[in-house]
């Protein structure tokens, strides 16, 4: 249940033009705590996405509930350097039917993540892209153990391939 997900949706997808309408952005002037020289924007999902809970055995996954946070960017290149995101408010997760336990529900008190980004260069073809370099996550629950993850992403490799579709001779 507590293993980090092996894949994730596009972490900067909320900045795409098609998704920006779901968020309210405000400039965060004179704030501390981000990368040196960076500027910040605060964001909040408005309205919060509906909460969806999925049970798989004794494990649950919560999606939605609204998020808010701060985005740090380089004022010269406009590269996103860091995103701090958190759950807007606690979520109550009813235990699955037939579950016998002490608590009738699990409360998600806090869910926070800090994602840091860096430029990564590739050759043949030459290309530099912005990719995650670390993800730190804290989930605080009432009713089950809380968890903390730290992931470091290094040694990126790019694999190029060719494919073709051929018609059948049958």
């Amino acid at each position: 249940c507590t293993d980090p997900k092996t894949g994730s949706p596009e972490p900067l997808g909320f900045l795409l033009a098609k998704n920006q309408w779901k968020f309210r952005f405000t400039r965060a002037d004179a704030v501390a705590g981000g990368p040196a020289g960076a500027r910040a924007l605060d964001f909040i999902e408005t309205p919060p996405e509906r909460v969806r809970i999925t049970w798989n055995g004794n494990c649950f996954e919560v999606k939605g509930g609204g998020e808010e946070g701060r985005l740090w960017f380089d004022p010269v290149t406009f590269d996103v350097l860091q995103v701090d995101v958190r759950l807007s408010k606690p979520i109550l997760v009813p235990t699955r039917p037939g579950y016998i336990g002490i608590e009738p529900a699990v409360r998600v008190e806090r869910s926070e993540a800090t994602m840091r980004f860096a430029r990564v260069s590739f050759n043949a073809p030459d290309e530099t892209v912005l990719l995650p370099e670390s993800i730190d996550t804290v989930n605080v629950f009432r009713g089950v153990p809380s968890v903390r993850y730290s992931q470091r992403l290094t040694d990126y490799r790019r694999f190029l391939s060719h494919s073709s579709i051929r018609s059948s001779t049958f």
Side-chain angles (χ1 to χ4, degrees):
C1 293
T2 58
D3 288 345
K5 303 289 182 254
T6 56
S8 67
E10 173 57 49
L12 300 177
F14 72 102
L15 297 174
L16 295 173
K18 68 179 183 178
N19 297 326
Q20 287 180 13
W21 66 272
K22 299 176 188 176
F23 293 85
R24 186 176 67 238
F25 295 90
T26 55
R27 220 170 64 203
D29 293 327
V31 293
R39 300 269 171 85
L41 288 175
D42 287 338
F43 61 89
I44 185 165
E45 188 176 7
T46 57
E49 188 179 339
R50 183 180 62 87
V51 175
R52 296 176 318 282
I53 301 165
T54 307
W55 282 92
N56 184 6
N58 289 330
C59 301
F60 67 88
E61 182 175 3
V62 176
K63 291 185 180 177
E67 55 185 34
E68 60 187 23
R70 181 166 287 153
L71 175 142
W72 298 90
F73 68 95
D74 182 313
V76 175
T77 65
F78 296 101
D79 285 353
V80 174
L81 303 175
Q82 181 174 313
V83 175
D84 301 323
V85 64
R86 64 188 167 276
L87 191 61
S88 296
K89 63 181 183 179
I91 295 174
L92 194 62
V93 179
T95 54
R96 64 179 173 77
Y99 176 79
I100 299 173
I102 297 171
E103 301 291 331
V106 173
R107 183 176 166 98
V108 181
E109 294 285 345
R110 261 178 45 208
S111 182
E112 301 174 355
T114 295
M115 296 169 276
R116 290 177 189 85
F117 298 86
R119 287 178 172 238
V120 178
S121 296
F122 295 102
N123 297 315
D126 293 342
E127 182 180 36
T128 300
V129 294
L130 195 63
L131 294 172
E133 70 175 358
S134 69
I135 304 170
D136 295 304
T137 307
V138 175
N139 292 310
V140 177
F141 304 106
R142 185 182 304 159
V144 295
S146 298
V147 293
R148 176 185 301 259
Y149 315 115
S150 284
Q151 299 172 312
R152 301 294 174 253
L153 302 130
T154 61
D155 299 326
Y156 279 103
R157 301 288 189 267
R158 177 172 58 185
F159 298 92
L160 300 177
S161 175
H162 175 77
S163 64
S164 61
I165 299 175
R166 298 187 300 185
S167 62
S168 172
T169 58
F170 299 117

